[in-house]
C-alpha cells in the first residue's frame, strides 16, 4: 500500500500557513488578494518541484495532473478529483481548506513518484474563492452550475470591490469565467479531506469522520434605509435611525433560527453604517446574513423568515429596505459508495470512524451535483475554526492524508 510522506505534508502545511499571516496570528488570504496570489504561486512552485502539470480554468480553479500517472492510466477516462481551497476568511486558520488542498497534492505526488498504474487518471484541485468573498463556494459553483457574464458583473466582494475588476487585475478573463462549466462526465468521482470545524470527532475520540451530507446555505445583504440626522439635536422620537433598526434585526436572529429548527443557524458577520460618523444618525445599515439548515425546506424557511422580519422592522421604524440574497446553495447528500470506500480505508488503517453531517459548506456540495462525491473529516481541536485558534493534531493530519490516498487509489481502480 502506498504511503504519504507525512513529514512533507506537515512541512507544506506549515509553510503555506505562513502566507498571509496577520498580527493576530490568523491568516488573511481573501480570494484574488495579493496574499491569495502569493499562496497560489507557492502552490504552483510545489507542483513544478514535483514535476506535475498545472492548468488554471476560467474561474481560477487550479487543476493538477501527473504526466507519468496519466501515461500509465487510461487518460481518456473521467478522472478522480480531490482537493479543497487555499483562500481563507479574513482572520482564519491554517487548516481550513489548506489541509485538503495540500493532502490532495501529496497524494498525487506519491502516485507520480511511485509510478502507480491506476485505471483512471487523478486530478488535484484548488477551488477559487471557496470562502465566498464574491459568492458562496464560488469556484466550484462556476464549474458545476455556472455564472452568466451579467451575474459575474453584478458580484462585489466584502470590501465593496467589483469581482470583474479584481479578477481581471489578477489576470483573469471574464469571458472564460462565464464559460467555466465542466463538460458533463469530466469527473468520475470526487473526495475532499477537510477539518471538521466542529467538536464532535474530538469529543467522541474519533479519528475520521465519514461525511454523509452537507448543509444547505444562503446569504446576502439586507439594507435598511432611514435618514441621516444630527446626533445631538434630533429627538429620539423624530429619527429614522437605520442603526437602531439593524440592532433589532440582529437581536432577532436567534429567534428566527429557533423558529425553523434546532439545526438552523443564522449569522451576521458584517454590519456597515452609512455615512459612518459617530455623531450622525445612520441613514443606512448594510447587514450581511449567512443562513443554513440541513434541508432545502429549512433554508427556504430561514430566507422567508428573514424577509418577513425585515419588513416588520422597517415598518416599525418607518424605514425603507432592500434585500439582496444570493441563490441558495442546496444541501448535498454525499455518495454512498464513496462513503463506504472512505470508511473501509479508515478501517484498513485501524482508525476509529463515524458518519458525520457537515454544518460547514464545502466545494464538495457543488461537485456532488455533477459526480459521486465524498468527504473525509479529521478532528478540530476544541471544535474551533474560522479563527486564529483553528488547530488539528499532526497525527490527525497524517491519518487524514493517508485515508485520502487510500480512498483515491480505491476510487481510481474500482
Ligand atoms: O462558510 C463555510 O461553511 C465555508 O467555510 N465556506
Ligand atoms: Mn471556511
Ligand atoms: Mn473550508
Amino acid at each position: 500500500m502506498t504511503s504519504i510522506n507525512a513529514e512533507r505534508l506537515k512541512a507544506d502545511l506549515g509553510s503555506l500557513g505562513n502566507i498571509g499571516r496577520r498580527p493576530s496570528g490568523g491568516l488573511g488570504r481573501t480570494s484574488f488578494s495579493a496574499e491569495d496570489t502569493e499562496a497560489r504561486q507557492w502552490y504552483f512552485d510545489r507542483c513544478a518541484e514535483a514535476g506535475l502539470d498545472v492548468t488554471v480554468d476560467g474561474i481560477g480553479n487550479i487543476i493538477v495532473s501527473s504526466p507519468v500517472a496519466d501515461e500509465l492510466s487510461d487518460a481518456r477516462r473521467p478522472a478522480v478529483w480531490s482537493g479543497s481551497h487555499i483562500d481563507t476568511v479574513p482572520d482564519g486558520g491554517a487548516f481550513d481548506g489548506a489541509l485538503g488542498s495540500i493532502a490532495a497534492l501529496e497524494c498525487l505526488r506519491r502516485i507520480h513518484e511511485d509510478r502507480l498504474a491506476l485505471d483512471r487518471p487523478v486530478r488535484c484541485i484548488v477551488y477559487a474563492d471557496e470562502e465566498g468573498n464574491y459568492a458562496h463556494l464560488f469556484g466550484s459553483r462556476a464549474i458545476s452550475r455556472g455564472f452568466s457574464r451579467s451575474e459575474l458583473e453584478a458580484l462585489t466582494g466584502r470590501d465593496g470591490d467589483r469581482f470583474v475588476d479584481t479578477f481581471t487585475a489578477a489576470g483573469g478573463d471574464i469571458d472564460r469565467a462565464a464559460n467555466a462549466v465542466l463538460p458533463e462526465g469530466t469527473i468520475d468521482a470526487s473526495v475532499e479531506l477537510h477539518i471538521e470545524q466542529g467538536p464532535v470527532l474530538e469529543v467522541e475520540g474519533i479519528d475520521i469522520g465519514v461525511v454523509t451530507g452537507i448543509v444547505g446555505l444562503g446569504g446576502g445583504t439586507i439594507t435598511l434605509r432611514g435618514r441621516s440626522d444630527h446626533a445631538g439635536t434630533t429627538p429620539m422620537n423624530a429619527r429614522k435611525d437605520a442603526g437602531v433598526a439593524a440592532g433589532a434585526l440582529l437581536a432577532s436572529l436567534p429567534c428566527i433560527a429557533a423558529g425553523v429548527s434546532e439545526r438552523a443557524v443564522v449569522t451576521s458577520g458584517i454590519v456597515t453604517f452609512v455615512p459612518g460618523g459617530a455623531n450622525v444618525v445612520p441613514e443606512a445599515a448594510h447587514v450581511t446574513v449567512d443562513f443554513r439548515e440541513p434541508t432545502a425546506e429549512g433554508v427556504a424557511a430561514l430566507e422567508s423568515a428573514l424577509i418577513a422580519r425585515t419588513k416588520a422592522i422597517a415598518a416599525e421604524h418607518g424605514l425603507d429596505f432592500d434585500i439582496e440574497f444570493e441563490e441558495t446553495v442546496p444541501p448535498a447528500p454525499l455518495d454512498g459508495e464513496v462513503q463506504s470506500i472512505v470508511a473501509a480505508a479508515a478501517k484498513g488503517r485501524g482508525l476509529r470512524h463515524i458518519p458525520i453531517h457537515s454544518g460547514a459548506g464545502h466545494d464538495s456540495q457543488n461537485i456532488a451535483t455533477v459526480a459521486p462525491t465524498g468527504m473525509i473529516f479529521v478532528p478540530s481541536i476544541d471544535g474551533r475554526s474560522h479563527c486564529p485558534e483553528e488547530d488539528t493534531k499532526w497525527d490527525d493530519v497524517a491519518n487524514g492524508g493517508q485515508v485520502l490516498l487510500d480512498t483515491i487509489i480505491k476510487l481510481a481502480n474500482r
Side-chain angles (χ1 to χ4, degrees):
M1 297 262 275
T2 304
S3 301
I4 59 162
N5 180 334
E7 286 315 305
R8 180 168 59 184
L9 169 57
K10 200 160 102 175
D12 279 348
L13 263 173
S15 49
L16 178 58
N18 288 325
I19 300 176
R21 187 67 72 181
R22 297 236 161 126
S24 65
L27 291 174
R29 295 199 300 257
T30 299
S31 52
F32 307 118
S33 64
E35 297 81 1
D36 183 40
T37 303
E38 186 188 344
R40 289 165 66 90
Q41 186 53 55
W42 176 91
Y43 186 86
F44 294 143
D45 295 346
R46 298 291 75 66
C47 296
E49 210 170 68
L52 301 174
D53 292 338
V54 176
T55 56
V56 179
D57 74 5
I59 201 72
N61 299 316
I62 302 169
I63 300 164
V64 192
S65 57
S66 156
V68 166
D70 280 2
E71 194 74 23
L72 297 167
S73 77
D74 179 352
R76 290 158 307 162
R77 295 181 72 172
V80 171
W81 278 34
S82 182
S84 195
H85 61 96
I86 59 176
D87 65 301
T88 71
V89 292
D91 200 25
F95 293 83
D96 174 7
L99 173 60
S101 302
I102 303 288
L105 174 60
E106 175 54 25
C107 292
L108 189 60
R109 282 187 297 214
R110 296 296 299 116
I111 292 166
H112 180 82
E113 288 162 347
D114 280 15
R115 303 179 61 80
L116 293 190
L118 304 175
D119 294 348
R120 294 173 181 81
V122 174
R123 295 288 177 270
C124 69
I125 319 297
V126 174
Y127 294 104
D129 192 23
E130 188 276 349
E131 294 296 3
N133 184 37
Y134 297 100
H136 268 127
L137 309 169
F138 188 42
S140 54
R141 197 122 194 238
I143 60 174
S144 52
R145 160 209 177 274
F147 287 95
S148 66
R149 190 186 175 97
S150 57
E151 285 177 317
L152 294 170
E153 284 167 347
L155 292 176
T156 54
R158 269 189 274 284
D159 304 328
D161 60 305
R162 290 180 66 235
F163 167 71
V164 287
D165 299 337
T166 305
F167 184 64
T168 38
D173 171 340
I174 287 299
D175 287 327
R176 285 191 67 212
N179 293 286
V181 173
L182 287 173
E184 201 168 329
T186 301
I187 304 173
D188 169 72
S190 165
V191 58
E192 177 179 3
L193 172 64
H194 206 285
I195 52 173
E196 178 200 339
Q197 299 180 294
V200 172
L201 297 179
E202 182 183 57
V203 166
E204 301 198 14
I206 302 293
D207 304 306
I208 295 289
V210 182
V211 184
T212 56
I214 305 172
V215 73
L217 47 94
T221 302
I222 295 172
T223 298
L224 291 153
R225 294 189 190 292
R227 189 186 66 203
S228 50
D229 274 311
H230 193 293
T233 55
T234 314
M236 293 305 281
N237 61 8
R239 298 178 176 204
K240 290 182 177 290
D241 187 334
V244 168
L249 179 60
L250 295 176
S252 65
L253 299 186
C255 193
I256 287 173
V260 171
S261 80
E262 271 182 18
R263 299 177 69 183
V265 287
V266 187
T267 310
S268 177
I270 305 170
V271 179
T272 314
F273 288 167
V274 175
N279 57 354
V280 180
V281 175
E283 70 174 312
H286 302 290
V287 180
T288 67
V289 285
D290 171 306
F291 47 95
R292 309 178 185 207
E293 216 273 352
T295 66
E297 299 72 25
V299 176
L302 286 169
E303 184 168 278
S304 320
L306 281 163
I307 293 169
R309 188 76 190 108
T310 301
K311 277 184 186 159
I313 287 172
E316 200 184 314
H317 292 256
L319 306 185
D320 295 324
F321 67 91
D322 293 320
I323 296 180
E324 284 174 64
F325 283 164
E326 289 178 44
E327 194 182 315
T328 56
V329 182
L334 295 185
D335 181 79
E337 184 192 18
V338 181
Q339 287 183 53
S340 329
I341 292 172
V342 171
K347 189 168 175 227
R349 295 286 172 178
L351 297 170
R352 291 155 297 181
H353 59 280
I354 57 167
I356 187 169
H357 185 267
S358 176
H362 296 285
D363 291 306
S364 289
Q365 71 193 98
N366 285 323
I367 302 304
T369 64
V370 295
T373 297
M375 286 193 77
I376 304 164
F377 276 176
V378 290
S380 290
I381 295 174
D382 297 335
R384 300 289 308 279
S385 181
H386 279 191
C387 58
E389 295 77 12
E390 179 183 283
D391 198 0
T392 288
K393 288 187 192 130
W394 289 119
D395 283 353
D396 290 325
V397 165
N399 287 339
Q402 188 59 60
V403 169
L404 181 66
L405 179 55
D406 296 348
T407 300
I408 289 171
I409 291 171
K410 185 81 178 143
L411 285 171
N413 283 337
R414 77 191 191 287

